[in-house]
Amino acid sequence: MGAKSRRAKPPTTRSGFPGSGKAKSFSKMNTNVEVMRRNIPQAQDSSSEAAAASLMARESFSLDNDPSPKDSGVNNHGFFDLPRQDRKNFGLLVLLYFLQGIPLGLATGSVPFLLKNHMSYGEIGIFSLASYPYSLKLFWSPIVDAVWSPKVGRRKSWILPIQLLSGIGMLWLGSEVEALMATTGKPGGPTVWGFTGWWFFLVLMCATQDIAVDGWALTLLSPANISYASTAQTVGLTAGQFMSYTVFLAFNSPDFANRWIRPVPLDHGVLSLGGYLTFWGWSYILVTLGLFLFKREERTKNEDGIFDVYSSMWKILNLKNIQTIILVHLIAKIGFQANDAVTSLKLLDKGFGTSNMALTVLIDFPFEIGLGYYAGKWSQQFTPMRLWSWGFAGRLLAALVAQFTVSVFPSSGEVTPSYLLMVILQHVFSTFTNTIMFVAVSAFHAKIADPTIGGTYMTLLATVCNLGGTFPRFFILRLVDYFTSATCLPNNLDNLTAAQREKIALAGTPLIKEPFSCAIQADKERCLAGGGICEMQRDGYHVVNILCVAIGIVTFTLYIRPKVLQLQALPLRAWRLSSGPPSKH
């Protein structure tokens, strides 16, 4: 988060408390984890310069050593020891971050699961592009920092219209989303790209609002308590995504509702996607109205101009060591992409059920928080990139464990308690290794960032790290379809039940009489609707996962691990923009 990066203080744990080695951005849970984890705005670079100047003026300062934690100037107050105004502003920040998490949790978590019943993996890969704004917001964050109206306020100039547009967008989408999901990609229906465009718009609004909220957090809280800004971000975004992912999936599932809520079973959940979007659309508008009427923003002024920030980014990119770490970030997550992007979808495809998936994530959530705390402690006991390397190896192993879990799905199609426990343990292990990697790399970023331009430096590193987990997803999902081989076989009419015959007759679907490929979702639906049997010869998920893990092992062994340990051994001056002897690889 911007607060941490600008003050060049140690990263926080996922719980958000200072000094334990972690800053956060959540995952689906694995995928959403990548979205929330970043350090954003550039608004405080000038104040970072003052702090850096004070630090560097000391006789004991050296670029070959890390600053002492005592130099951070941040008080470790308990929350209830904070001034009343800070507590109120902390609550406001949690609310704003929570609202951001609502559409994010849907776009990166729930909706891809719901789409699996309507779209192929390749089409879901197209939908995954909707999450890109969060990985690319670095490129317009200087504009959000520098362009604003003095009458409205520096941050409210962006937050008010962005939240209003988001609310209106969710209201419209709420009234149309059920029909869109049922007809997208079908003859006469909207294209997958058109459907993705609406969610891209919502995530773009959230990403832009996030820049403004991150900047506002730096002035809403008093300087001594600025570390609580990262806590607000972690609590708010995590809760918002948890609400839209775990809670929504559970209440949207007919199985969950029939088992735990309804006395009489029905074929739908108690909460529809349209109704959920409509509720939060109105909530966005009401919060925006309250913010406009009741919250005043302190007067402020621009520090660095747009050109200054972009100039700093360009200078950072010209550092040889930065170019190396960027390359590492862009290729490092290829090894786990099939696991992160496809495993949960494949389980649903096999009949695991959204209610069981929601239960898995619900149980995983406290483990993720608790294990994240210990990962933060380990990041201080061990060198960050060595810990990151251990997490990398564990995450490759987790991908293989996940594949095994999918391959032993009960042939009866019934999820037994023992199999559910296996999935939960696999999910916890995968998330934990993911957390270790994030904790370690966050600590490394905080260590190497130049404190004179901490915000820009940390934002650039976080953006590239997030992008490494985002851009391969589109290609991985399409490759699953490409490598999948399945044939629709005609079924003997005598083998069809009376209910199946009646369903086929009512739908007017022609009976399947000739074999054809049913590898993608649309053809599979046509096959089943016509009374055919879709028989799979080769599951593309297994091929792609093995391919990804193989690439991960080769790149990790031959390039990534040696390079990151070498970069970690460099003195701090090798990462600074100030003039000095050239760094060596």
Side-chain angles (χ1 to χ4, degrees), residues 332-392:
K333 296 176 183 176
I334 294 176
F336 345 112
Q337 278 300 305
N339 182 27
D340 290 352
V342 189
T343 296
S344 295
L345 295 175
K346 179 57 65 175
L347 285 171
L348 291 178
D349 198 20
K350 285 180 170 288
F352 187 68
T354 54
S355 60
N356 287 326
M357 185 59 68
L359 178 62
T360 299
V361 176
L362 178 64
I363 294 174
D364 172 79
F365 183 68
F367 282 98
E368 186 180 6
I369 299 296
L371 294 175
Y373 167 76
Y374 286 103
K377 291 182 64 176
W378 296 337
S379 71
Q380 296 183 346
Q381 296 173 9
F382 305 99
T383 53
M385 298 313 285
R386 188 171 298 278
L387 180 65
W388 182 87
S389 297
W390 295 341
F392 192 109

Side-chain angles (χ1 to χ4, degrees), residues 203-350:
V203 176
L204 176 65
M205 293 297 99
C206 287
T208 306
Q209 177 182 335
D210 188 63
I211 299 167
V213 174
D214 279 351
W216 202 9
L218 302 174
T219 56
L220 275 177
L221 299 176
S222 58
N225 300 314
I226 199 68
S227 62
Y228 277 92
S230 62
T231 307
Q233 181 197 45
T234 302
V235 171
L237 277 170
T238 301
Q241 291 200 336
F242 183 76
M243 174 69 71
S244 286
Y245 181 59
T246 306
V247 176
F248 171 76
L249 270 187
F251 284 93
N252 181 257
S253 168
D255 293 339
F256 181 88
N258 293 336
R259 183 186 303 177
W260 302 107
I261 300 175
R262 295 193 184 109
V264 179
L266 296 174
D267 61 353
H268 57 82
V270 297
L271 184 61
S272 68
L273 180 57
Y276 187 80
L277 281 166
T278 299
F279 173 82
W280 287 111
W282 284 115
S283 299
Y284 259 73
I285 292 173
L286 289 175
V287 171
T288 304
L289 181 62
L291 197 61
F292 174 74
L293 294 175
F294 303 115
K295 184 61 181 178
R296 297 184 61 183
E297 185 176 353
E298 294 182 5
R299 292 183 178 273
T300 185
K301 63 180 181 178
N302 282 336
E303 290 93 3
D304 294 337
I306 298 177
F307 176 79
D308 297 321
V309 178
Y310 283 120
S311 176
S312 295
M313 290 182 191
W314 181 251
K315 292 176 181 176
I316 295 170
L317 287 171
N318 281 324
L319 292 173
K320 295 295 184 182
N321 296 320
I322 287 294
Q323 294 170 6
T324 302
I325 197 66
I326 285 176
L327 178 59
V328 168
H329 281 324
L330 291 179
I331 66 174
K333 296 176 183 176
I334 294 176
F336 345 112
Q337 278 300 305
N339 182 27
D340 290 352
V342 189
T343 296
S344 295
L345 295 175
K346 179 57 65 175
L347 285 171
L348 291 178
D349 198 20
K350 285 180 170 288

Side-chain angles (χ1 to χ4, degrees), residues 400-454:
L400 295 176
V401 172
Q403 181 171 338
F404 173 78
T405 303
V406 170
S407 67
V408 298
F409 189 87
S411 56
S412 64
E414 181 181 351
V415 179
T416 61
S418 60
Y419 186 77
L420 178 60
L421 178 61
M422 179 187 294
V423 173
I424 291 171
L425 293 176
Q426 172 269 316
H427 201 282
V428 169
F429 178 51
S430 183
T431 302
F432 179 51
T433 55
N434 189 356
T435 300
I436 288 177
M437 287 188 66
F438 171 72
V439 169
V441 82
S442 295
F444 183 65
H445 288 171
K447 174 184 176 182
I448 66 176
D450 190 334
T452 61
I453 50 166

Side-chain angles (χ1 to χ4, degrees), residues 464-487:
V464 176
C465 186
N466 287 341
L467 190 60
T470 303
F471 89 87
R473 196 172 304 270
F474 169 79
F475 303 101
I476 294 298
L477 285 162
R478 294 186 74 85
L479 282 174
V480 172
D481 279 343
Y482 177 80
F483 284 112
T484 297
S485 176
T487 303

